Amino acid sequence: MRRVTGKSGDSLIEMSPSGSDDMNGYNNHESSGTGSLQQGPPESLTPRVCVETCESLCSSLASVASSDHSSTQQVDAQTLEQIDAVTGLWRRRALFLKFRSRIDKQQHSKDSVFFRDGRRRVDFVLSYVDDKDGERKQERRKVYEANLENVGLELETEDKSESEDGKTSFVKIHAPWEVLATYADVLKIKVPFKVNDIPDNKDTPMNWLSTPFRLPDHIMHPEPDYFTAPFNKSKSDFFLIDNQETFFPPSTRNRIVYYILSRCSYLKDECPDKDKKGIKRLLNNGTYTAAFPLHDSRYWTRSRDPNCESERYNLYKHWARFFCFFKEQPLDLVRKYYGEKIGIYFAWLGFYTEMLFFAAVVGTICFIYGFLTYDDNQWSKEICSEAIGGNIVMCPLCDKKCGYWKLITTCNSSWQSHLFDNVATVFFAIFMGIWVTLFLEFWKRRQARLEYEWDLVDFEEEQQQLQLRPEYETKCSKRKLNRITQEVEWILDRTTSDLMGKCLLCWLTVVLWISLIIACIIGVIAYRLAVYAAFASIMKDSPTAHLQVVGPLITPQLATSVTASCINFVIIMILNLMYEKVAIWITDMEIPKTHLEYENKLTVKMFLFQFVNYYSSCFYVAFFKGKFVGYPGNYIYMFGEWSKLRNEECDPGGCLIELTTQLVIVMTGKQVWGNIQEALVPWLRNWWGSRKARSHPESLYSRWEQDYDLQVFGQLGLFQEYLEMVIQFGFITLFVASFPLAPLLALFNNIIEVRVDSWKLTTQFRRPVAAKAHSIGAWQEILNGMAILSVVTNAFIVAFTSDMIPRLVYMYAYQPDGEMNMKGYINNSLSVFNISEFPEANSPEDGENPFWFNSSITTCRYRDYRYPPGHQKQYTHTMQFWHILAAKLAFIIIMEHVVFLVKFFVAWMIPDVPSDVRARIKRERYLVQEYLHDYEVERLKNQLSQNANDCTCAPMIYPSLPKHEVLSECL
């Protein structure tokens, strides 16, 4: 036996117990008088049969009533026969209604986004499961749902017996026109009032070239272009309302319903506890297990209901599949289905990816230049020469365990460094400074166009005034006059001590976590210092030389750098898991007033954490490693001489190659791990979910249960996507001078990212509540700040991390033959130290020194510009050192000023709002005023004419008043 509930009119129908399962318990039923229902399928119960049986029923009832006046036995027998016939007709009618309710239930409830009546749309779904605390939660649900109905929402409940697991109940919510109109007026939602009559003059030259990248017009522009104005319920006839049921799109409907849900109390009116309200608290305390709007269809097929859209299917077909990676994004459809906030993100991500193409092309050209000039690298030839590099003995790179070594062992790293450290590096650093300006300026123009097309102009003010967070409203206890709106509004009762205490606690927590990150970085640095000696001791006799492929490439410097970078990456990933919870906790404690303020505060905190977490190791390698080393006999130690941890020197091939290694490992590792999390894990979940769907008949696996099984697009969903892209933006701008291929890697990642994000959102997540946003918010200011900082960091990388400036100074001022070449540069850039002057603590052990028994070796070389032993200024900096330092500072000043001047000039030349958009905004504002004026005048005329006809005032009462004043008095 299976219990099935459904509605027929206002009656709840319940099937009778039956021992047979054929046709859901519809068996043969006999009746006397009018015949019997023949054995067969229930399809024989057609509407025509029902009408006939009802007519027979009426006639039988009439004959029964008339038989009361008869006293004969024949009449009594006839009466009993008629009563028996009536009973059989009622039974047949009940069976027919049962079958019809079950069919209707499966058509309109199981596989539809409408109520059982097939007319009212399901705008939101609440789900719950009864548990041990069921009575208390049931009372909350009862009061909450009653309050929802009091504000005008319509509810319909699906019993848990109808769910697949037999435990979950669903409450479907519908917002009727009156509710939608009222809250659209409150929220100032813009709706169309006139078709856009401005001609679109977008005649792009060579437009046919973009044909392969285009999508169908009905996908790119699902709605006509309208002039819009904020909705006013009292002037509803001013707007283009053809059908009240479809006037507000589903995204707007679910936004309005969620606004109501988040502010509705779950206590009775006699319990005025302001904190006991909102669906968020009911979800947190387990009263409801989920609250979500429904997708309009399954993503792999169109909706069967002609009254329902199939926008999800269109998004999956034209946007979410990977093989559409070369196609344009249907941003208007994304905005219509998911709301403006998600639409803005994908618009920004797509534009960022397009602009990365140009940076990737230039970066690849710079890398190819370094590869093509590989054989012209004079300093690498000297290092790899047996006559020069083979005869230069270098000083130990660590105390005791490290021995003397020959410069020729760094041959491979010097060639590798040339690929990234060449003249093209300077050009690319300058280019990226200009590129980032163009990207931000063109994005402002693109954003301004979207603001107009998506009715987001002047939205920020409305957001500040109207979109208060429910968490803020529940904490308010005082009222105050707003000087701007001149309205009395609720405010928090914050004392000075309480406010200062919370702010101090919040920022102390931020400082504590940032200090934790710095401590972890210091730990990694200590690891590098301690482990380098171990690697140097193990590899002193080149035990890896027998490896045919990687043996010659493995050096103590490379092994230390790679392992330290990997450990640092693991620490970054672990700390990331904790940052999110800490940042949310701190922001919640501050109780921001609006959603925009909440997101901005959370954005600043999370970015500070992630900035220090991801970039601190790169900053160390770029600007600190090898800069404070000292010289042989007078080394500088990290924690003091007692620690025996000598500050790191750069690789003999230069510090830039180590920065490149660090950047590649952290950036690539982050992108690979992110793609595994975002693509592989959801794919496995989707594969398992598809198995579950296949194991259940489609007609029995309910529409709301399918969405209930999807993942939740949580509070940090979109925020994490922004953060991931902004961190990537920092990698390709702050340190791009060390790795010109970084934009190319980012481009490949983002092409995948766009489709992975769209695939997840379309197939793996519940439909998020639509939200408005006129821009990318605080991320815009963060990008601007990183753009300015990137000019400074790249200038310092070229000047202090790269060897470009010392080489140019040597070539132009210190080349002994006066020629414009780099001959003799290696010998010139290495200083000399007398081995006999090594302190006992620094000198290598006998067994560790391969040159110990060669008495002809009395000196060793090291990277620096100092006077040789025996000079009156021995081991102090030479004049060439100060010339190079002056050249470095001059380069930084010149590069920064040139790039900044170009940046500001480009920003001044490119207006933030396109001229055609500015004209359209003015045109729309003019039309709104004109049409509203005409509407009000026409409305007033109608009222005056109607009241003039109904006016009974005698003219002699107002002998001296003009006609319009008489009419005004009548009004």
Side-chain angles (χ1 to χ4, degrees):
M1 180 189 75
R2 180 179 175 90
R3 182 176 180 273
V4 179
T5 59
K7 285 215 173 185
S8 175
D10 294 327
S11 302
L12 183 65
I13 306 299
E14 181 169 342
M15 291 185 64
S16 303
S18 173
S20 174
D21 291 335
D22 58 304
M23 296 311 298
N24 298 315
Y26 288 95
N27 300 322
N28 299 330
H29 297 270
E30 297 180 356
S31 60
S32 59
T34 58
S36 61
L37 182 65
Q38 297 297 323
Q39 185 176 8
E43 281 77 9
S44 59
L45 289 173
T46 61
R48 181 181 58 82
V49 175
C50 183
V51 171
E52 293 176 355
T53 56
C54 291
E55 291 176 351
S56 301
L57 179 63
C58 294
S59 60
S60 300
L61 289 174
S63 61
V64 169
S66 61
S67 66
D68 291 341
H69 303 283
S70 175
S71 60
T72 63
Q73 184 178 2
Q74 182 179 3
V75 174
D76 291 340
Q78 185 179 2
T79 301
L80 292 175
E81 184 178 353
Q82 290 174 345
I83 292 175
D84 193 19
V86 171
T87 305
L89 291 172
W90 273 109
R91 187 182 298 112
R92 296 190 192 100
R93 182 174 183 274
L95 288 173
F96 167 73
L97 292 177
K98 287 179 189 176
F99 177 75
R100 189 183 66 177
S101 66
R102 182 171 178 81
I103 297 300
D104 289 348
K105 183 177 179 58
Q106 291 194 10
Q107 289 180 348
H108 297 301
S109 182
K110 285 282 188 182
D111 194 26
S112 174
V113 295
F114 293 93
F115 276 22
R116 295 191 192 102
D117 56 17
R119 294 183 297 103
R120 293 174 295 172
R121 188 184 186 97
V122 178
D123 296 314
F124 228 86
V125 174
L126 306 178
S127 65
Y128 61 88
V129 177
D130 290 325
D131 53 17
K132 59 182 180 181
D133 194 21
E135 293 183 2
R136 189 174 179 183
K137 294 178 180 177
Q138 185 177 4
E139 180 63 24
R140 289 184 196 147
R141 288 193 294 267
K142 182 179 178 181
V143 175
Y144 184 69
E145 292 170 12
N147 290 336
L148 291 178
E149 291 178 334
N150 290 337
V151 298
L153 297 180
E154 298 176 2
L155 277 58
E156 186 175 77
T157 303
E158 290 293 333
D159 190 75
K160 62 183 179 181
S161 62
E162 292 301 313
S163 64
E164 198 61 38
D165 59 6
K167 301 177 182 178
T168 308
S169 301
F170 296 92
V171 179
K172 298 176 287 186
I173 301 175
H174 169 76
W177 168 256
E178 284 299 319
V179 174
L180 294 173
T182 300
Y183 282 92
D185 194 350
V186 170
L187 299 175
K188 301 300 180 186
I189 295 175
K190 290 188 175 182
V191 293
F193 70 91
K194 184 182 184 300
V195 178
N196 193 336
D197 59 356
I198 300 179
D200 191 3
N201 299 322
K202 292 182 180 179
D203 294 330
T204 307
M206 310 277 298
N207 197 27
W208 57 273
L209 291 175
S210 62
T211 302
F213 309 103
R214 292 183 194 163
L215 291 174
D217 191 64
H218 73 280
I219 300 297
M220 287 300 298
H221 306 288
E223 293 180 339
D225 194 10
Y226 293 103
F227 289 123
T228 59
F231 184 77
N232 190 327
K233 185 179 178 181
S234 63
K235 302 173 183 176
S236 57
D237 53 337
F238 172 73
F239 302 99
L240 300 178
I241 305 178
D242 295 331
N243 186 350
Q244 292 182 349
E245 295 298 325
T246 60
F247 180 67
F248 293 107
S251 58
T252 302
R253 298 174 68 101
N254 71 57
R255 178 187 164 209
I256 292 175
V257 173
Y258 185 75
Y259 183 87
I260 299 172
L261 293 176
S262 60
R263 285 159 176 79
C264 187
S265 174
Y266 53 86
L267 292 180
K268 295 180 180 180
D269 296 338
E270 57 269 17
C271 303
D273 190 349
K274 294 184 62 179
D275 196 40
K276 305 296 184 181
K277 63 169 56 176
I279 187 62
K280 186 175 180 180
R281 291 184 63 87
L282 291 173
L283 292 173
N284 291 338
N285 61 33
T287 303
Y288 290 101
T289 56
F292 54 93
L294 290 178
H295 284 290
D296 63 358
S297 66
R298 295 175 177 84
Y299 66 86
W300 64 84
T301 183
R302 293 186 180 276
S303 175
R304 299 177 181 178
D305 193 334
N307 297 322
C308 185
E309 309 86 355
S310 296
E311 293 171 357
R312 186 189 187 193
Y313 168 76
N314 290 332
L315 286 171
Y316 175 74
K317 180 179 179 182
H318 299 283
W319 180 52
R321 296 190 299 175
F322 179 75
F323 293 105
C324 299
F325 71 90
F326 60 93
K327 294 284 189 179
E328 58 185 340
Q329 294 189 83
L331 295 177
D332 286 348
L333 187 58
V334 175
R335 173 246 179 171
K336 181 183 177 185
Y337 191 74
Y338 290 114
E340 289 78 4
K341 192 171 185 178
I342 292 178
I344 284 285
Y345 164 73
F346 281 102
W348 177 81
L349 179 58
F351 184 79
Y352 171 46
T353 305
E354 292 173 10
M355 291 295 293
L356 271 178
F357 173 78
F358 302 101
V361 169
V362 177
T364 304
I365 292 174
C366 292
F367 177 79
I368 293 175
Y369 171 82
F371 183 79
L372 294 178
T373 58
Y374 199 73
D375 295 332
D376 299 331
N377 184 3
Q378 183 63 38
W379 55 89
S380 293
K381 290 181 179 179
E382 293 184 357
I383 292 175
C384 297
S385 171
E386 288 288 344
I388 301 175
N391 290 324
I392 296 178
V393 177
M394 302 294 293
C395 296
L397 294 176
C398 66
D399 295 342
K400 290 291 184 180
K401 294 296 182 181
C402 299
Y404 301 100
W405 53 282
K406 290 187 177 181
L407 184 62
I408 196 173
T409 59
T410 64
C411 176
N412 289 325
S413 63
S414 67
W415 286 114
Q416 296 164 8
S417 179
H418 174 72
L419 294 175
F420 308 105
D421 190 4
N422 51 65
V423 177
T425 302
V426 180
F427 166 76
F428 190 60
I430 296 174
F431 168 80
M432 287 302 295
I434 300 173
W435 174 87
V436 72
T437 303
L438 292 174
F439 163 65
L440 293 175
E441 291 301 318
F442 283 129
W443 166 245
K444 290 179 183 177
R445 292 170 61 85
R446 175 68 172 143
Q447 185 173 264
R449 190 176 296 278
L450 289 176
E451 284 184 19
Y452 167 73
E453 293 176 353
W454 292 356
D455 301 323
L456 299 172
V457 179
D458 300 329
F459 171 71
E460 185 175 3
E461 290 76 10
E462 300 171 10
Q463 177 83 354
Q464 290 286 351
Q465 296 174 12
L466 300 173
Q467 298 293 316
L468 298 179
R469 298 177 64 239
E471 294 81 0
Y472 175 85
E473 293 178 343
T474 58
K475 299 294 183 181
C476 291
S477 57
K478 297 179 67 176
R479 297 173 71 90
K480 183 180 179 180
L481 179 66
N482 189 318
R483 296 181 179 180
I484 299 176
T485 62
Q486 291 298 312
E487 295 180 358
V488 178
E489 60 183 16
W490 287 99
I491 62 170
L492 282 178
D493 185 15
R494 286 175 169 173
T495 61
T496 304
S497 59
D498 180 53
L499 184 62
M500 292 182 62
K502 284 190 174 182
C503 289
L504 183 62
L505 177 61
C506 291
W507 287 105
L508 279 177
T509 306
V510 172
V511 172
L512 174 65
W513 279 89
I514 291 179
S515 302
L516 176 62
I517 300 171
I518 296 174
C520 292
I521 298 302
I522 294 175
V524 174
I525 295 172
Y527 163 85
R528 299 170 71 109
L529 300 178
V531 173
Y532 177 78
F535 279 121
S537 177
I538 294 173
M539 301 179 181
K540 63 181 185 297
D541 298 323
S542 299
T544 60
H546 65 281
L547 299 176
Q548 296 180 359
V549 179
V550 298
L553 302 178
I554 297 177
T555 62
Q557 295 89 349
L558 179 63
T560 303
S561 180
V562 171
T563 56
S565 299
C566 294
I567 292 174
N568 183 66
F569 173 73
V570 172
I571 293 175
I572 289 172
M573 293 295 104
I574 294 174
L575 292 177
N576 275 345
L577 299 176
M578 297 180 282
Y579 293 156
E580 295 175 359
K581 296 181 180 179
V582 173
I584 293 175
W585 175 72
I586 295 173
T587 308
D588 288 339
M589 190 164 49
E590 294 178 347
I591 316 177
K593 183 176 182 180
T594 65
H595 294 284
L596 182 63
E597 185 180 349
Y598 180 88
E599 291 181 1
N600 289 344
K601 287 179 178 291
L602 183 62
T603 297
V604 171
K605 294 178 181 63
M606 280 296 294
F607 179 73
L608 283 176
F609 288 149
Q610 301 287 30
F611 184 90
V612 179
N613 195 22
Y614 278 104
Y615 302 144
S616 53
S617 59
C618 294
F619 273 103
Y620 164 74
V621 175
F623 305 124
F624 295 98
K625 183 178 179 180
K627 307 301 185 293
F628 310 99
V629 177
Y631 60 92
N634 188 26
Y635 287 117
I636 299 175
Y637 293 83
M638 183 175 181
F639 301 110
E641 191 170 351
W642 60 270
S643 66
K644 304 301 181 182
L645 295 177
R646 206 171 88 188
N647 284 354
E648 279 190 289
E649 297 183 45
C650 286
D651 189 279
C655 290
L656 193 71
I657 189 64
E658 293 194 42
L659 176 59
T660 303
T661 303
Q662 179 77 22
L663 184 65
V664 169
I665 290 176
V666 176
M667 179 181 174
T668 306
K670 178 183 179 299
Q671 294 185 165
V672 170
W673 178 251
N675 288 330
I676 290 176
Q677 283 184 312
E678 294 186 8
L680 182 59
V681 175
W683 181 84
L684 292 174
R685 177 185 172 91
N686 185 52
W687 173 76
W688 180 256
S690 63
R691 288 187 58 189
K692 180 179 178 181
R694 287 194 300 268
S695 65
H696 298 82
E698 186 175 329
S699 59
L700 296 180
Y701 196 39
S702 64
R703 190 73 193 85
W704 49 91
E705 281 183 291
Q706 293 181 17
D707 286 6
Y708 177 73
D709 287 342
L710 297 176
Q711 300 179 58
V712 180
F713 192 78
Q715 183 181 12
L716 292 178
L718 198 59
F719 179 87
Q720 289 172 330
E721 301 298 338
Y722 270 120
L723 183 61
E724 180 182 354
M725 290 296 103
V726 170
I727 293 297
Q728 182 201 87
F729 180 82
F731 280 126
I732 69 166
T733 54
L734 297 177
F735 310 103
V736 73
S738 66
F739 188 47
L741 293 180
L744 183 63
L745 295 181
L747 176 64
F748 289 148
N749 176 81
N750 287 10
I751 290 175
I752 299 173
E753 184 76 21
V754 172
R755 303 304 160 179
V756 168
D757 286 349
S758 58
W759 175 77
K760 286 194 309 178
L761 199 61
T762 306
T763 66
Q764 303 300 303
F765 287 105
R766 295 173 188 166
R767 185 175 184 173
V769 179
K772 280 186 173 291
H774 76 292
S775 66
I776 60 176
W779 300 111
Q780 183 77 40
E781 297 303 321
I782 290 175
L783 293 176
N784 290 332
M786 294 180 71
I788 295 174
L789 181 61
S790 67
V791 177
V792 179
T793 56
N794 284 301
F796 272 85
I797 287 173
V798 173
F800 287 97
T801 310
S802 167
D803 286 339
M804 182 61 59
I805 302 301
R807 292 169 191 161
L808 293 177
V809 171
Y810 172 80
M811 185 172 64
Y812 285 102
Y814 289 90
Q815 217 284 341
D817 299 330
E819 300 176 359
M820 301 294 291
N821 58 48
M822 297 299 295
K823 290 182 179 179
Y825 170 73
I826 294 300
N827 187 63
N828 176 266
S829 64
L830 298 176
S831 298
V832 181
F833 181 77
N834 191 346
I835 293 177
S836 62
E837 298 182 18
F838 259 124
E840 183 65 23
N842 300 132
S843 59
E845 299 176 359
D846 295 353
E848 307 296 335
N849 184 8
F851 308 107
W852 187 260
F853 300 104
N854 190 343
S855 59
S856 62
I857 298 176
T858 58
T859 61
C860 63
R861 310 293 293 272
Y862 59 98
R863 286 171 55 95
D864 208 341
Y865 294 92
R866 296 180 183 270
Y867 288 107
H871 194 278
Q872 60 179 358
K873 297 182 180 179
Q874 67 175 2
Y875 305 136
T876 61
H877 286 117
T878 64
M879 187 56 65
Q880 185 177 356
F881 170 83
W882 299 109
H883 286 167
I884 292 174
L885 180 61
K888 289 179 177 179
L889 296 176
F891 172 81
I892 291 173
I893 294 172
I894 293 173
M895 177 179 170
E896 287 183 356
H897 280 71
V898 169
V899 175
F900 280 135
L901 284 175
V902 174
K903 281 169 64 68
F904 293 140
F905 178 74
V906 169
W908 175 74
M909 286 289 294
I910 302 175
D912 292 345
V913 182
S915 57
D916 63 317
V917 173
R918 190 180 296 111
R920 285 170 177 262
I921 293 174
K922 292 180 179 179
R923 167 71 173 165
E924 181 167 320
R925 287 174 175 170
Y926 166 76
L927 284 177
V928 170
Q929 294 178 355
E930 182 183 25
Y931 273 71
L932 276 175
H933 175 267
D934 294 343
Y935 170 81
E936 293 291 350
V937 169
E938 188 66 27
R939 189 177 181 181
L940 182 60
K941 286 180 179 179
N942 294 335
Q943 289 180 354
L944 290 175
S945 61
Q946 181 179 359
N947 288 322
N949 295 332
D950 298 339
C951 184
T952 58
C953 303
M956 65 283 302
I957 301 178
Y958 309 99
S960 61
L961 294 179
K963 181 179 179 180
H964 70 275
E965 294 189 19
V966 174
L967 293 176
S968 299
E969 184 68 22
C970 294
L971 289 175

